[in-house]
Amino acid sequence: MHAALAQTDANERRFRSAVRFIEQKEYVKAKAELIPLTQLRSGGIVPFAYYYHALADFRQKRFSESRMMLKQLMDRFPDWKMMDDAHYLMGAAYFEGGQYEEGTESLSRIGDSALKTEAGKLETHHFSQINDLNRLKQMQKEFPDNRNLALALIGLIQRTSTATADLELSDRLSNRFGVPTVTRPVTTEPTASTSTASKPEKNRNKGYYNVAVLFPFRVNEIDPRATGRSNQYALDLYNGMKLAKSKLQSEGITVNLFAYDVDNDASKMTALVNNPAFVQNDLLIGPLYAEPNRIATEFANKNNILLVNPISTSSELVANQPLAFLAAPSLNQQALKTANFARTLSTVKKTAIYFGTSRKDSTLAVLYQNEMKRLGFAVMDFRKIGNDPEAIRITETSKPGHIFLVSSDENAGPKLLRVLAQRKVSAPVIATSSAFDFVKDPLSTFIKNDLYLVYPEFVDPQRPQTTEFEEQYLEQRNLIPSTYAYQGYDMLLFFGRALARTRGELTNRSQLRAEPEDGYLLSGYDYTVSNENQVVPIIKFDGTRFVLAK
């Protein structure tokens, strides 16, 4: 009996000595003390000897030997009370050896909640090292419920892929798992400490910017064989942003794009803002519908996040919303800028205003009428003409200083010009670009010297950056870029640069201005006065090409 007790005491001293050697990074000496203990037939100290031998191997970067010792531990002592620690160390050893699937499987066996938290950090670290998109997609299929794996796949898709199928996959995963959060330090040692989940804090100095794109992608309805999809504009906007992301990266600005399929469904937007990780975004683009936009705007204001509506022309969306911006000039800005331009055309302070049948047409016409009156102009004729431009009441003897036409009917512009020519009315005409068809109308339509077009989406095709963008877009998408693709590119380029200059804190409006010379495709941005874009391009045909008139 005394001999047995003495032997037990000797084994315990040997074990404690081994642990001290590990603490002192004397791993060879530690293993020399532990090997005899692993050969004992029984005793509570034996599984600990296996574990610490595996830990010493791990510290020496002998990962296969570490796994071998852990395997022997699990085979001999399947009910060991600290088996979760063994699974954690086994997972870490697999990860270090590049065996990510086996490592994920090992960590999935952990039951202790505190150790699960540490395992999650370990997974996040190692999954971020995988640059093989196909491998990561295959792993996600094998472990479909692993959130850390899904977030790593989302991030890799957003950084490297432009394929529609990958975009759809990223969207589905984002809607289920949220967006990647800021990476935290990782340890490979098991810990007994517990952690409490809390709302992530925004990190303005993280070196990159997360942008959530909240569009009606309707990925479940996409038919790759179909053309003229109802949501094609959303895809085009997003594809333009993808090219802007690459451009920003070349300037040293890292932007992560995360696409969310947000249609006219308030519940989807609510689910997103209730996801704690969503606060890690620095910029929200969209949503495009009223109620989801309201929810997103409240969230953005509460969490000091910028929000941009890419296509709306309604001033109401940004009224009293300091962090919400309109990328396109509002109808109010179009009326103001056009009225100021009209004042330079003639000394005759009279105008005639004609508009089409859409609500947008009549709204802009009313705003323009109000601004003209405020400037002291007399409105000689204010009329909805629809398809009947003959209804206008001006003639050669009763002509105004200028005429303003607002119409969404692309036939309205040529019809009005013909009527004016027949009546020999030579007054300057300002019209919205939507009143003409730039593809079908012959260039002779635009030769009239005093025809000016309000054209917010104007892109000069002869500028070098336009040609470069179109070539890149065609190469990547096998499509000619639409107006929305140009808008998506410019929008992310401008706000990405603004985020980088200000670290996400836009407190100085003097820098919120951009010109086409800065590499933009459209006519620029100006938020120095308000959150509505005040750049309203007005163009004319100079005989060979369309150019800015002001």
Side-chain angles (χ1 to χ4, degrees):
M1 176 68 70
H2 292 295
L5 289 174
Q7 184 62 45
T8 299
D9 290 341
N11 290 338
E12 290 181 354
R13 287 194 298 273
R14 171 167 277 179
F15 177 75
R16 288 195 294 271
S17 175
V19 172
R20 284 196 299 272
F21 280 137
I22 290 176
E23 292 173 349
Q24 296 165 4
K25 301 182 179 180
E26 297 281 355
Y27 303 123
V28 175
K29 292 180 180 179
K31 289 191 291 184
E33 296 286 355
L34 291 168
I35 287 175
L37 299 180
T38 63
Q39 297 171 354
L40 296 175
R41 290 181 175 273
S42 62
I45 205 171
V46 180
F48 285 93
Y50 276 105
Y51 176 80
Y52 277 95
H53 193 294
L55 181 61
D57 282 326
F58 184 91
R59 296 274 183 83
Q60 288 182 293
K61 300 186 184 301
R62 299 167 62 90
F63 303 120
S64 60
E65 290 86 348
S66 178
R67 293 195 303 270
M68 182 180 67
M69 292 303 295
L70 290 169
K71 181 68 167 57
Q72 293 177 25
L73 164 62
M74 294 172 185
D75 289 343
R76 283 193 64 184
F77 303 95
D79 298 322
W80 186 43
K81 64 181 180 179
M82 291 184 62
M83 191 58 74
D84 280 345
D85 294 74
H87 289 313
Y88 181 94
L89 187 56
M90 179 73 90
Y94 273 127
F95 279 148
E96 292 291 347
Q99 295 173 263
Y100 299 110
E101 294 84 356
E102 293 85 350
T104 305
E105 178 63 32
S106 294
L107 295 184
S108 70
R109 297 173 182 169
I110 296 173
D112 179 74
S113 59
L115 205 52
K116 273 185 176 294
T117 300
E118 295 304 314
K121 296 177 183 178
L122 185 67
E123 286 182 335
T124 298
H125 171 72
H126 283 283
F127 292 158
S128 69
Q129 310 302 308
I130 302 175
N131 294 315
D132 185 337
L133 183 58
N134 289 330
R135 182 175 185 182
L136 209 53
K137 287 195 286 189
Q138 188 59 43
M139 286 180 62
Q140 202 279 323
K141 289 181 180 178
E142 187 175 347
F143 304 98
D145 297 322
N146 188 306
R147 182 173 186 270
N148 299 311
L149 185 56
L151 295 183
L153 177 54
I154 293 168
L156 187 60
I157 288 174
Q158 299 297 336
R159 292 194 302 272
T160 65
S161 179
T162 59
T164 301
D166 289 341
L167 167 62
E168 295 171 10
L169 175 60
S170 173
D171 178 74
R172 290 195 299 272
L173 295 176
S174 297
N175 285 335
R176 180 181 177 190
F177 294 104
V179 298
T181 56
V182 178
T183 302
R184 292 174 173 77
V186 178
T187 63
T188 53
E189 301 298 332
T191 175
S193 64
T194 60
S195 64
T196 303
S198 61
K199 186 175 183 179
E201 295 291 331
K202 285 193 71 63
N203 180 1
R204 296 294 188 184
N205 299 309
K206 55 185 179 287
Y208 59 87
Y209 303 94
N210 291 334
V211 178
V213 183
L214 308 163
F215 287 173
F217 291 107
R218 300 168 190 159
V219 293
N220 294 328
E221 303 174 14
I222 290 180
D223 180 355
R225 299 164 298 179
T227 58
R229 307 181 187 111
S230 62
N231 66 326
Q232 187 63 49
Y233 71 96
L235 297 173
D236 291 351
L237 280 164
Y238 186 76
N239 287 329
M241 292 180 208
K242 298 279 278 188
L243 286 182
K245 175 187 171 185
S246 299
K247 175 66 173 176
L248 289 168
Q249 189 67 57
S250 72
E251 298 175 4
I253 302 170
T254 299
V255 168
N256 299 317
L257 285 177
F258 300 99
Y260 297 91
D261 197 352
V262 179
D263 211 319
N264 194 9
D265 185 347
S267 63
K268 285 188 177 181
M269 194 66 239
T270 300
L272 283 176
V273 300
N274 286 335
N275 184 332
F278 198 67
V279 77
Q280 294 296 337
N281 287 300
D282 303 282
L283 172 64
L284 310 182
I285 300 180
L288 307 186
Y289 292 93
E291 185 59 17
N293 186 272
R294 182 192 64 78
I295 296 169
T297 301
E298 289 181 357
F299 172 82
N301 285 336
K302 180 179 179 181
N303 293 281
N304 197 31
I305 299 172
L306 301 180
L307 182 146
V308 178
N309 192 297
I311 57 178
S312 176
T313 55
S314 173
S315 303
E316 296 178 0
L317 286 179
V318 297
N320 302 315
Q321 302 293 346
L323 296 174
F325 294 81
L326 295 183
S330 68
L331 295 181
N332 184 57
Q333 287 296 324
Q334 292 182 45
L336 292 174
K337 301 300 181 181
T338 305
N340 285 329
F341 174 75
R343 296 168 66 186
T344 67
L345 298 179
S346 173
T347 58
V348 179
K349 301 189 71 172
K350 297 179 181 179
T351 183
I353 303 171
Y354 303 109
F355 53 96
T357 57
S358 75
R359 181 180 178 183
K360 183 177 181 179
D361 296 342
S362 58
T363 300
L364 180 53
V366 169
L367 290 170
Y368 190 77
Q369 175 185 232
N370 294 340
E371 185 60 18
M372 283 284 97
K373 290 180 177 179
R374 190 187 70 81
L375 294 174
F377 278 68
V379 179
M380 298 173 55
D381 199 9
F382 182 82
R383 188 175 305 279
K384 179 191 290 186
I385 58 173
N387 293 321
D388 184 21
E390 296 284 349
I392 66 174
R393 294 183 176 178
I394 56 175
T395 64
E396 182 181 8
T397 57
S398 62
K399 65 181 182 181
H402 75 276
I403 298 166
F404 186 48
L405 170 65
V406 188
S407 181
S408 301
D409 179 0
E410 59 191 18
N411 297 312
K415 286 182 179 179
L416 178 64
L417 293 180
R418 283 195 294 270
V419 171
L420 294 176
Q422 291 167 3
R423 298 188 184 182
K424 299 182 180 180
V425 177
S426 59
V429 175
I430 307 174
T432 55
S433 60
S434 54
F436 294 86
D437 186 332
F438 290 86
V439 175
K440 295 180 180 179
D441 292 339
L443 290 178
S444 58
T445 305
F446 306 98
I447 288 178
K448 178 178 168 61
N449 291 332
D450 46 5
L451 172 63
Y452 305 92
L453 304 177
V454 181
Y455 198 171
E457 303 86 11
F458 175 67
V459 175
D460 186 347
Q462 298 193 24
R463 296 174 64 231
Q465 51 262 56
T466 304
T467 303
E468 180 182 358
F469 173 82
E470 290 174 344
E471 290 175 349
Q472 291 179 356
Y473 194 91
L474 185 61
E475 179 182 355
Q476 294 190 15
R477 311 303 311 170
N478 200 28
L479 292 170
I480 296 174
S482 70
T483 294
Y484 295 107
Y486 297 113
Q487 291 173 326
Y489 178 85
D490 272 13
M491 180 170 46
L492 185 63
L493 191 63
F494 174 77
F495 283 99
R497 288 170 172 172
L499 285 170
R501 282 197 305 269
T502 62
R503 295 186 181 273
E505 300 285 354
L506 299 185
T507 56
N508 184 357
R509 285 190 174 274
S510 65
Q511 294 184 324
L512 293 182
R513 182 183 177 92
E515 304 289 348
E517 290 71 22
D518 298 324
Y520 297 98
L521 306 174
L522 302 171
S523 296
Y525 298 92
D526 186 355
Y527 299 103
T528 54
V529 175
S530 75
N531 289 20
E532 301 175 29
N533 186 6
Q534 296 158 68
V535 176
V536 182
I538 298 176
I539 67 170
K540 66 173 300 182
F541 188 65
D542 69 355
T544 58
R545 57 191 284 249
F546 289 98
V547 297
L548 290 171
K550 71 176 188 70

